[in-house]
Structure formats: structure tokens, C-alpha cells
Amino acid sequence: MRYLRALGALLACAALSVSCTDARAGSGAGAPGAPAELSAYERIVPAPARTAPGGPGYRLTAATVIRTTAGSREARGVGELLAAALRPATGLPLRVSGTDAAGAAGGVRLRLDPAAGAYGEEGYRLQADGEGVTVSAYRPAGLFRGAQTLRQLVPAEGAPVVAGGSVSDTPRFAYRGAMVDIARHFFTVAQVKRYVDQLALYKVNVLHLHLTDDQGWRLAVDSWPRLAEYGGASEVGGGPGGHWTKEEYRDLVRYAGERYMEVVPEIDMPGHTNAALASYAELNCSGVAPARYTGIKVGFSSLCVGKERTYEFVADVLREVAALTPGRWLHIGGDEAHSTPHDQYASFMARAQAAVGDTGKKVMAWHQLAGAEPVPGAVLQWWGTDKTKAAEKEQVAAAVRKGAKLVVSPADRSYLDIKYDAATKPGLSWPGYVPVERAYDWDPGTHLPGVPESAVLGVEAPLWTEVIATPAELDLMAFPRVIGVAELGWSPAAALDWDAYRLRLAAQGPVLTKLGIGFYRSPDVPWL
Ligand code: NGO
């Protein structure tokens, strides 16, 4: 399989007029066999659609100015972030000036080009020679993605020379997400911002926040204040928990937005709701509030489907969350509603989806929604495994035939909370182990039978936190696997090849170390 793919990659590269070094690496005679032999362009992760190395490089100096398209606040913002990212590594001042004009050359230029429509929302072109480096894009998001490529072309060690050559790049999938569960264990906005920064380097563009679950409610809701005040003051293991104020949430959304990352907030229902049920007795069919929960079982809680008050709650919460969120989707969970009889589940999900519609947002939910009636335009998030029953897969394929779109996050591939192997300290292992190779060596476009690539919006790597409690554990479980998932989302299918990828990933070792990320040094990767 792997060899077939490598052959496919070679043929695809031969068909391009430019070199396609990433797909070739490690797959034939004369190909680099060690990460140190990779050229700067071969090291870029995710692998760009096309690279053409060659010619003299550009050395950043104390006089280098980053010039951004005159009159564009967005381009300037990208320039400021690029400078901030490069200053510590290079020790250079890297002044930013919003004075770039078409035709000018030299230094670093971040250029919005109204004629570059072919690059779409996120694509870009980068060109480096002895005079300077120019990144051009049709949209600011593309400029930001191109700036990440430029960051990767500046060596982690030694002289700050951007090797000569060019990159021309667009993503394979529009949705390249990472999720953090701040409900099982509470994480602060500052901690999640750090993750956002790490993810941005690898062109991740969606931050999915799992904000509520049995063990905690993490976002302030004005109309139901006890959710956060009482329901937020607990977490797995009996710690104090916590919640974000609306201002903190807005601040994170803004921060992610400056990195062209869309926030998808998730309010999980009708199951996974013990924190809400504990906060308000009226949400329970019995009228009695249960105790707060600090264990790690799933599937025992349910909102009271027969009570009108439940739908007032749902509408109030979704309205307030939507008002704080500029992104397109509200994720309403819908997973593991084992304590909600099926007919009740279906009627609840119908009303919850309608409530999302009332806010003007689109529905996103875990793939169990396929067993009810997804509204037109709904996005389902697949979290099954290779062992999931064929009937469940077929249910999802059927929903896709009716128009649903899919984000794929197979638990036995892309779940970052799953142990790498038996020796991994934190982590769960219910879908088996997920070594670095397994997290990378699959194709989101063909993963689910009966679901064509055209129905796949993209890919996501969720990080659940029942047993992940600290930023150090988060680093260890997410890195390096999340980088592989980011590449699956961005790079052309022809470039995906584990033998080549493990060398490129190995070359990221010093980069991760420089960024202070305590990643897992998988023995499958020949780390530099
Ligand atoms: C499942 C479950 C979560 C767990 C996670 C642990 C989904 C969608 N629901 O994934 O509640 O935290 O597994 O791996």
C-alpha cells in the first residue's frame, strides 16, 4: 500500500513541471535517507503542493524590513505576527512597514494580489532569491499561511538565510481542525492560546472547543449563571475546575481569528450534561439535581427531553454562544446519548438543530446525528474506528448521500488522548494504541466507505482530557501526532508517504524544542 502510494506520488511529481521534492524524499535511489540531508524546501510541514528550490538565498539582516501591502490592516497584522515569530530565533529587529506597492522588490514582502484569485481563500505563492522573499496571496488568510511557510524556511539554527526557490501552495481540505476538551480538566485561555500558536505554524485553521460535559461547564452564560458558577467548579479527579468569562472567550476567539483560525464552540447535548443538570434542578425530569461528577464514565446523563424548559435552556445557551462567536458553526455534540431513548434523541436533536438555525449558525454534531435527521447543511464529525459496525458507517454514508458534509476524526487515528503505546503515561486506549505512524498513514478523502472526497470537509484531531490534566501532558499527547493530521488536511494526496514524512517530521524536532514543546520522541522517527 505504502509503495503504491509512493509510486503514485512519483508519477504525480513527474507530471508537474516543477520539482516535487517532498513526495520523492525517501522513496527511491538517491533520495535522502536521513533528516539532516533534507533541503529547506523538503522540510516544510505540511508538504506544499509544489516546491521549486534553486538559486541564491536571501539573508535576513538588521536592515531587513517586512513590507506589507499599503492600506491593508490585515496584511500588516500578518507582518507583525511574522516579525514577532522570527525575532527571537534570529535576534533581528525586523521592522514592519505597511508601505509595499506592486512592482517594488527587496526585503520581505507580504503582498495581497487581487489578480491571484486562483490561490483561493488560503493559498499563496512564496518566492525567495538573493534580493528578498515575497509571499503573495489573494486573501489575508493565504498570506498568513504563506508566512508560516516562510517561518519554516528560516533555519532553527545558524545563519538566518532563506534558501532560494519558490513554493506554490493551496490546501487539499478547507477544514483542518484541532479540538481541546476543557470540560473534563479545565484549561485556561492562556494555555489554549499557546496551543493556537503551535497549531498555526502547521496551518491548522479550526479550533474546536469542547466547552461542556458531565464534569464541568466552562463558559459563562448570563441567562443561566449557575452553569458556570456551580457547574464549572468541578473537574475530573476533584480539582477546582473553573470557567471562562465571556470576555475571556471573546479574547481567545479574537486571538485565534488573528491567526485565521475559526472557533467552533461545542455545547454537548442531550447526553454529557451532568454539569448542567447538577446546576439546575428544573432541567431534570425528576426535578432533583444530581451531585456534580468527577469520574470518567460516559453515557449516564440526559437533558429532560419532555420538558419545555429544556428547550428554553437550549435556545438561551445557543443564542448567547452564537453572539460571542463569529464562526459559522455551533457544535451540539449528540454523542453517546445512551441514557436518552432513541425516539427522544431524534426529537431532541430536531429541536436543538432548529435552535442552532434560529441563531443564524450552521449545525455541527458528532456522527450519531446521522441516526436522527440532520438538517440540510449539517456537518457530521466521524469519530468511529476501523472496528465500528458496518451499519453505523452506512448510516453516515446515507446521511452524506442526502447532503451532509463530513469532518473525519477517527478515534483510532486522530484522537490525541489515546496512548502511543503501552508505555505512554497519560492517555486512554479504548480504540487501541495510536503510534505516530498510525496517526499519519491514512487518507481522510477515502477513509469512510461510501463517502466521496467531495463530501469531506476536512479532518480534525480531538484532544479529550479525562486523563490529560496539565499543559505538559497536552504537549506530549498532541505533538508530534497533530502535525501529521495537519499534513493530511493540507497536503496533496500524492505527497502523503510515511517513509518520507518521518524524515521531515524528524527535522521538526529542533523546531519543536525551540518552541518549548515537550513532544513525544517516538522511536519510529529518526529525530534530528
Ligand atoms: C469519545 C467520547 C468522549 C470521550 C472520548 C475519549 C466522543 C465523541 N465522545 O469521543 O466523551 O472523551 O471518546 O477518547
Side-chain angles (χ1 to χ4, degrees), residues 184 272 298 335-336 366 383 415 417-418 428 430 464 466:
R184 269 57 177 274
H272 290 280
V298 296
D335 57 321
E336 297 176 318
W366 298 105
W383 65 280
Y415 268 29
D417 60 316
I418 306 304
L428 299 173
W430 65 266
W464 300 96
E466 287 103 313

Side-chain angles (χ1 to χ4, degrees), residues 285-310:
C285 288
S286 65
V288 180
R292 287 182 294 208
Y293 181 68
T294 58
I296 63 169
K297 288 204 197 90
V298 296
F300 61 88
S301 56
S302 178
L303 290 173
C304 186
V305 173
K307 267 191 182 173
E308 264 328 285
R309 191 72 181 128
T310 297

Side-chain angles (χ1 to χ4, degrees), residues 179 181 184 210 213-215 266 268 272 296-299 331 333-336 366-368 381-384 409 411 415-418 428-431 462-466:
M179 186 209 85
D181 168 9
R184 269 57 177 274
H210 186 75
D213 214 302
D214 292 318
Q215 298 87 344
E266 179 186 351
D268 202 348
H272 290 280
I296 63 169
K297 288 204 197 90
V298 296
H331 199 308
D335 57 321
E336 297 176 318
W366 298 105
H367 76 256
Q368 278 73 19
Q381 183 167 6
W382 172 256
W383 65 280
S409 49
Y415 268 29
L416 302 175
D417 60 316
I418 306 304
L428 299 173
S429 56
W430 65 266
L463 181 53
W464 300 96
T465 60
E466 287 103 313

Side-chain angles (χ1 to χ4, degrees), residues 195 198-199 416 420 463 473-483:
Y195 195 38
Q198 297 166 348
L199 296 168
L416 302 175
Y420 292 92
L463 181 53
E473 288 173 344
L474 196 150
D475 275 16
L476 183 80
M477 300 305 277
F479 290 92
R481 288 181 296 196
V482 74
I483 301 176

